[in-house]
Amino acid sequence: LYPYSGSTAVLLPNQYGIPEPDTRLYQPVQTSQVEILLVPALMADHHGHRLGYGKGYYDRFIQDAGTQTHLICPVPHVLFVDQLPNDPW
């Protein structure tokens, strides 16, 4: 986990083509120190559940996040529903 500093960050594409901070230039950050986490989703509901991509990466990360971490799940309004099926985690 590495910091992101906005427009001055040096980003490189990862194995999926997603730009990430160049790990050679930045020191890792502890999960509990993350202030804002953008969580991807296919859909989200009014109860805070989300439909992810099936690998559980963000679910595990959220469990270790600090109590001060703000979770933001940007989905279009049309993909925001009343209720989704969910798991205990």
Side-chain angles (χ1 to χ4, degrees), residues 25-36:
L25 303 176
Y26 302 102
Q27 293 296 315
V29 173
Q30 296 296 320
T31 304
S32 61
Q33 295 176 320
V34 173
E35 296 175 23
I36 298 173

Side-chain angles (χ1 to χ4, degrees), residues 6 46 50 56 62 76 81 84:
H46 296 285
R50 69 181 191 90
I62 290 168
V81 298
L84 286 171

Side-chain angles (χ1 to χ4, degrees), residues 18 30 41 44 48 54 65 68 82:
I18 300 169
Q30 296 296 320
Q68 300 300 315
D82 289 331

Side-chain angles (χ1 to χ4, degrees), residues 1-32:
L1 183 63
Y2 293 87
Y4 175 72
S5 57
S7 63
T8 61
V10 177
L11 304 177
L12 298 174
N14 68 11
Q15 64 188 20
Y16 304 107
I18 300 169
E20 294 182 339
D22 184 346
T23 59
R24 298 170 298 179
L25 303 176
Y26 302 102
Q27 293 296 315
V29 173
Q30 296 296 320
T31 304
S32 61

Side-chain angles (χ1 to χ4, degrees), residues 41 43-51 73 80-87 89:
M43 297 181 90
D45 71 14
H46 296 285
H47 304 283
H49 303 119
R50 69 181 191 90
L51 179 62
C73 186
F80 195 74
V81 298
D82 289 331
Q83 188 169 1
L84 286 171
N86 60 81
D87 292 310
W89 58 85

